[in-house]
């Protein structure tokens, strides 16, 4: 029924929580080499080589960089990767990357300090 239909956003978030992560909240079998390549091709221009070019919501004294957001606030990180963030000028990539490619990029981002 119409009431049972998930929005595209809800479906992508449910996929993350129920299918893409293991019981410890880690991605299942990411390809970090591909994640690194895709990051450098697509994300590095804005986020820098190490994901520390932009403060993703912290203060000046205590910034939050990409690695911390990807590790400690994965739902927000995943949502912004998929659907963008108009307030910060982040593009939506839901139609640009496959699920596996997004997993690889997100898992690679979790390796940053």
């Amino acid at each position: 029924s119409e009431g049972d239909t998930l929005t595209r956003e809800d479906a992508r978030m449910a996929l993350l929580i129920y299918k893409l992560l293991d019981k410890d909240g880690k991605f299942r079998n990411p390809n970090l080499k591909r994640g690194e390549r895709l990051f450098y091709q697509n994300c590095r221009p804005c986020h820098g080589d190490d994901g520390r070019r932009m403060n993703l919501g912290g203060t000046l004294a205590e910034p939050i960089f990409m690695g911390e957001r990807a590790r400690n606030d994965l739902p927000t990180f995943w949502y912004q990767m998929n659907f963008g963030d108009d307030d910060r000028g982040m593009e939506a990539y839901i139609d640009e990357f496959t699920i596996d490619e997004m997993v690889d990029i997100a898992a690679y981002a979790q390796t940053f300090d």
Side-chain angles (χ1 to χ4, degrees), residues 61-102:
E62 294 183 28
I64 296 172
F65 295 116
M66 182 178 278
E68 181 180 348
R69 171 64 55 84
R71 283 188 308 278
N72 299 335
D73 190 5
L74 185 57
T76 298
F77 183 85
W78 184 254
Y79 185 91
Q80 289 173 330
M81 273 184 70
N82 280 267
F83 303 107
D85 183 340
D86 290 339
D87 293 340
R88 292 186 175 86
M90 172 76 182
E91 279 186 54
Y93 287 96
I94 189 168
D95 296 320
E96 303 296 321
F97 297 115
T98 67
I99 291 285
D100 289 339
E101 289 170 333
M102 284 198 159

Side-chain angles (χ1 to χ4, degrees), residues 1-111:
S1 74
E2 187 175 337
D4 294 333
T5 303
L6 292 175
T7 65
R8 191 174 193 200
E9 291 89 351
D10 289 341
R12 188 55 66 103
M13 296 305 290
L15 179 68
L16 171 70
I17 302 303
Y18 295 109
K19 297 283 186 187
L20 301 177
L21 301 177
D22 66 18
K23 64 180 176 58
D24 297 320
K26 305 288 185 199
F27 284 106
R28 299 173 193 267
N29 305 313
N31 181 332
L32 293 178
K33 286 285 188 198
R34 182 171 60 177
E36 178 180 24
R37 180 179 50 79
L38 291 168
F39 175 86
Y40 276 90
Q41 289 173 345
N42 299 281
C43 310
R44 182 177 54 113
C46 293
H47 293 284
D49 289 344
D50 59 359
R52 296 177 70 87
R53 185 176 287 160
M54 295 179 150
N55 181 347
L56 301 178
T59 64
L60 286 176
E62 294 183 28
I64 296 172
F65 295 116
M66 182 178 278
E68 181 180 348
R69 171 64 55 84
R71 283 188 308 278
N72 299 335
D73 190 5
L74 185 57
T76 298
F77 183 85
W78 184 254
Y79 185 91
Q80 289 173 330
M81 273 184 70
N82 280 267
F83 303 107
D85 183 340
D86 290 339
D87 293 340
R88 292 186 175 86
M90 172 76 182
E91 279 186 54
Y93 287 96
I94 189 168
D95 296 320
E96 303 296 321
F97 297 115
T98 67
I99 291 285
D100 289 339
E101 289 170 333
M102 284 198 159
V103 164
D104 297 341
I105 294 168
Y108 179 70
Q110 289 178 328
T111 70

